[in-house]
Amino acid sequence: MNPDKVRGHVEIDHVVGPSDTADHWGGDLPVLATPVLVWLSELAAVEALQGALDDDESSVSVQHDAKQLTTVLEGSVIVVRVTSVGASHQVAVFDVEASDHNGIMFRSMHVREIVKLRSTPARHGGYHRYLDLG
């Protein structure tokens, strides 16, 4: 990875739908589920790394320190913003904030590890890519 090519900020706008709510995830309230906020923050971090990774690299989530500050109802529009706070050839660290029309409602520190991929010929043509663990 080239740390100098990590984007400084990425924002994702999202409308909270029925499948994003806690009652859809096994809870009992129709409010935005924390796992959805974590997923959106990961999507934004992955986007921030596009162009910084080599062709044989990808990233995996290794840490989230998350705090949901308030609830958000279905139908609300939220903005998830990641800000790069540090990157090396092996790791990228992002501050995450999510907000709605009332202000910041979620904060997290998200760490992604850079991993090497290997390609092997597939049985039916093309290539499979997999994580090289050693």
Side-chain angles (χ1 to χ4, degrees):
M1 180 177 79
N2 183 339
D4 295 330
K5 291 187 176 182
V6 176
R7 290 175 53 190
H9 303 283
V10 171
E11 289 185 0
I12 293 179
D13 296 339
H14 184 77
V15 178
V16 179
S19 64
D20 300 326
T21 60
D23 55 352
H24 176 81
W25 286 75
D28 58 357
L29 297 175
V31 298
L32 179 59
T34 304
V36 173
L37 285 164
V38 170
W39 170 68
L40 290 168
S41 66
E42 291 201 16
L43 290 177
V46 167
E47 186 176 328
L49 291 173
Q50 288 179 355
L53 299 176
D54 294 336
D55 289 341
D56 67 341
E57 292 178 323
S58 187
S59 68
V60 294
S61 175
V62 294
Q63 183 177 352
H64 269 283
D65 291 328
K67 183 173 186 177
Q68 192 160 343
L69 305 171
T70 188
T71 58
V72 175
L73 297 174
E74 181 180 337
S76 298
V77 177
I78 62 168
V79 178
V80 178
R81 178 184 175 108
V82 298
T83 302
S84 175
V85 295
S88 69
H89 296 288
Q90 296 85 24
V91 71
V93 180
F94 299 93
D95 276 336
V96 181
E97 286 186 346
S99 58
D100 66 358
H101 67 282
N102 291 317
I104 296 171
M105 40 73 67
F106 174 83
R107 288 197 169 132
S108 177
M109 188 271 299
H110 177 48
V111 180
R112 298 193 70 80
E113 185 175 323
I114 310 309
V115 295
K116 291 287 187 183
L117 299 173
R118 294 180 70 186
S119 295
T120 59
R123 288 194 322 210
H124 304 291
Y127 281 84
H128 291 295
R129 294 180 73 174
Y130 66 93
L131 182 60
D132 183 1
L133 296 175

